[in-house]
């Protein structure tokens, strides 16, 4: 059974010990499948000195001292798929991050065909780890033993995986690539305290509704947000988009009429007030004007030519290096570089997201693609 740092003094002592470590592995478990307000439910930590330790933010223990570890430039923070963990901890604890190393990203830069943690552990250690309770409710307390073992397993191997990957990347001349891309992940913004509002116009079947039906659907979507927030349940566990579309079409005016709609879940039919009120309000609203597709501005043919040349370069270079083309040069960077048409390595480095390793390794080749498109003239 993994150990817990289950008092404030133990968390404080743990943090001080971790600040003396050269590298520490982290993972988190959250509860988005079960709650509207997603939160970090468990923090898993592993290092040479401490072994594997769990910190439970839901137990009343203050995880705050760990923030100093996350911010320390002298401690390498190892994650496997860092973006979700970092955005979640920034949201819940307000931490900043430096010196991050993402082993999933490293596996991609090594050209490995499978980069999931289980696949990496099998490749490197020959051990098969069980899939475990990946979709379990991590907010339940007490957490059963099998969930605790599964959570600990996510960090047990990470420190050694990190050391091996550093060696592999150094041999391949790609360590700097992963360090710079991991640093960009450390700088990503915090997750929102609440999920982004659902767009009623994107519901399946919404495109077939007229403006009056859409006015009702808009109100029903707003009602679902309010109910989901009040109950702290995910939207899909309150009522699905398809049921809301059917309600917008049927326009029930009474609890009995609402109950007759086959797609409506029993809890919704049992508490009809917010849904019937939404329908009444929607009937009083003006019809929703269906937005027309905006005409795209004229596209500079020189930009199009640059994009084409950059794509051809990427196809050849990624094949030569054994890398996923979207990792070597994502589409967003192809478009950004083509639109900026940099005339020098320095200007190429000013394009957001390009990063120094691309400039140093491939800058001349990328500029060659741009210069042949006619921008130079």
């Amino acid at each position: 059974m993994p150990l817990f740092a289950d008092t404030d003094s133990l968390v404080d002592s743990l943090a001080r010990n971790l600040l003396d470590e050269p590298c520490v592995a982290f993972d988190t478990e959250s509860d988005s499948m079960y709650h509207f307000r997603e939160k970090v439910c468990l923090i898993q930590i592993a290092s040479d000195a401490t072994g594997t330790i769990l910190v439970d933010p839901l137990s009343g223990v203050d995880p705050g001292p760990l923030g100093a570890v996350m911010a320390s430039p002298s401690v390498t923070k190892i994650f496997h798929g860092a973006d979700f963990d970092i955005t979640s901890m920034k949201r819940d604890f307000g931490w900043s991050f430096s010196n991050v190393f993402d082993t999933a990203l490293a596996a991609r830069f090594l050209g490995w065909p499978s980069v999931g943690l289980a696949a990496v552990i099998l490749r490197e250690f020959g051990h098969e780890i069980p899939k475990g309770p990946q979709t379990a409710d991590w907010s339940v307390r007490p957490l059963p033993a099998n969930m605790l073992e599964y959570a600990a397993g996510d960090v047990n191997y990470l420190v050694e995986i990190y050391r091996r990957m550093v060696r592999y990347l150094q041999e391949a001349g790609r360590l700097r690539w992963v360090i710079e891309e991991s640093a960009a992940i450390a700088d990503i913004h915090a997750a929102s305290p609440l999920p982004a509002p659902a767009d009623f116009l994107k519901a399946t079947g919404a495109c077939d509704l007229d403006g009056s039906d859409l006015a009702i659907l808009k109100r029903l979507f707003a009602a679902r947000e309010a109910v989901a927030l009040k109950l702290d349940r995910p939207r899909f566990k309150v009522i699905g988009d398809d049921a809301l579309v059917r309600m917008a079409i049927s326009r029930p005016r009474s609890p009995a009429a609402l109950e007759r709609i086959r797609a409506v879940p029993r809890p919704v039919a049992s508490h009809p007030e917010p849904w019937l009120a939404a329908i009444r309000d929607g009937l009083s609203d003006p019809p929703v004007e269906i937005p027309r597709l905006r005409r795209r501005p004229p596209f500079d043919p020189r930009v199009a030519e640059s994009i084409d040349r950059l794509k051809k370069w990427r196809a050849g270079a990624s094949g030569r290096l054994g890398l996923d083309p979207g990792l070597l040069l994502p589409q967003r960077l192809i478009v950004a570089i083509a639109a900026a048409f940099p005339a020098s390595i320095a200007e190429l480095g000013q394009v957001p997201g390009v990063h120094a390793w691309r400039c140093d390794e491939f800058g001349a080749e990328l500029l060659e693609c741009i210069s042949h498109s006619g921008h130079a003239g």
Side-chain angles (χ1 to χ4, degrees):
M1 183 71 67
L3 298 175
F4 269 94
D6 54 6
T7 67
D8 287 348
S9 61
L10 284 176
V11 173
D12 187 65
S13 176
L14 172 64
R16 282 187 275 107
N17 289 335
L18 294 177
L19 284 169
D20 292 329
E21 289 287 278
C23 56
V24 182
F26 289 94
D27 189 37
T28 65
E29 305 294 346
S30 297
D31 60 356
S32 61
M33 292 286 291
Y34 294 86
H35 297 276
F36 192 68
R37 301 179 189 87
E38 182 183 68
K39 57 188 176 294
V40 173
C41 300
L42 196 67
I43 303 172
Q44 303 101 282
I45 304 165
S47 76
D48 288 339
T50 65
T52 299
I53 305 287
L54 305 182
V55 175
D56 180 5
L58 305 188
S59 68
V61 171
D62 178 15
L66 296 174
V69 182
M70 304 303 183
S72 172
S74 64
V75 181
T76 300
K77 274 70 66 175
I78 309 162
F79 294 88
H80 194 83
D83 48 356
F84 177 78
D85 298 306
I86 288 176
T87 58
S88 298
M89 287 190 280
K90 283 185 175 183
R91 176 198 63 214
D92 290 0
F93 312 126
W95 293 339
S96 60
F97 291 78
S98 69
N99 194 1
V100 166
F101 189 96
D102 189 332
T103 52
L105 189 63
R108 295 184 67 199
F109 272 108
L110 288 168
W112 292 0
S114 299
V115 301
L117 182 58
V120 171
I121 290 173
L122 180 62
R123 177 190 180 108
E124 290 300 298
F125 303 98
H127 297 162
E128 285 196 39
I129 60 172
K131 290 185 177 180
Q134 293 171 308
T135 59
D137 184 357
W138 288 96
S139 67
V140 300
R141 293 297 182 272
L143 284 166
N146 69 312
M147 292 177 66
L148 294 174
E149 292 290 344
Y150 169 79
D154 282 348
V155 291
N156 283 341
Y157 294 90
L158 273 185
V159 172
E160 179 57 27
I161 289 172
Y162 159 73
R163 291 186 175 125
R164 293 188 184 197
M165 285 185 162
V166 166
R167 186 169 70 250
Y168 301 154
L169 289 164
Q170 285 175 330
E171 292 170 355
R174 300 176 185 178
L175 178 59
R176 180 186 168 200
W177 306 5
V178 175
I179 289 173
E180 289 187 12
E181 294 298 321
S182 294
I185 296 174
D187 288 338
I188 57 179
H189 58 76
S192 172
L194 293 175
D199 186 349
F200 70 100
L201 291 173
K202 293 182 179 178
T204 301
C207 60
D208 298 323
L209 305 186
D210 62 22
S212 298
D213 291 337
L214 288 174
I216 298 171
L217 184 63
K218 182 178 180 180
R219 288 282 188 172
L220 287 168
F221 264 59
R224 182 175 62 180
E225 292 293 296
V227 171
L229 181 60
K230 180 179 179 181
L231 298 177
D232 193 19
R233 300 189 69 192
R235 296 183 187 107
F236 74 93
K237 289 194 174 183
V238 175
I239 187 170
D241 289 2
D242 58 336
L244 295 181
V245 170
R246 293 191 188 189
M247 288 167 63
I249 296 170
S250 302
R251 305 182 178 189
R253 309 290 186 89
S254 67
L258 179 64
E259 193 171 4
R260 284 195 294 270
I261 301 175
R262 188 172 298 178
V264 172
R266 186 179 298 275
V268 169
S270 300
H271 299 85
E273 296 82 7
W275 313 101
L276 296 177
I279 292 168
R280 288 194 299 270
D281 291 341
L283 287 167
S284 301
D285 289 341
V288 170
E289 293 187 12
I290 301 173
R292 296 179 179 178
L293 292 176
R294 294 183 178 178
R295 296 183 65 182
R296 292 183 179 181
F299 200 52
D300 188 334
R302 299 174 303 167
V303 173
E305 186 180 345
S306 291
I307 289 174
D308 184 57
R309 287 183 176 276
L310 287 166
K311 284 183 176 179
K312 289 178 180 177
W313 173 86
R314 180 179 70 173
S318 61
R320 184 175 69 251
L321 296 168
L323 290 179
D324 173 12
L327 179 67
L328 179 63
L329 192 65
Q331 178 67 18
R332 60 181 173 79
L333 289 185
I334 286 179
V335 174
I337 292 170
F341 47 91
S344 66
I345 298 291
E347 289 183 11
L348 177 64
Q350 295 301 309
V351 178
V354 168
H355 301 151
W357 69 268
R358 286 192 182 91
C359 292
D360 294 344
E361 296 285 342
F362 309 111
E365 297 173 54
L366 296 174
L367 291 177
E368 184 76 6
C369 295
I370 300 297
S371 65
H372 279 183
S373 69
H375 284 312

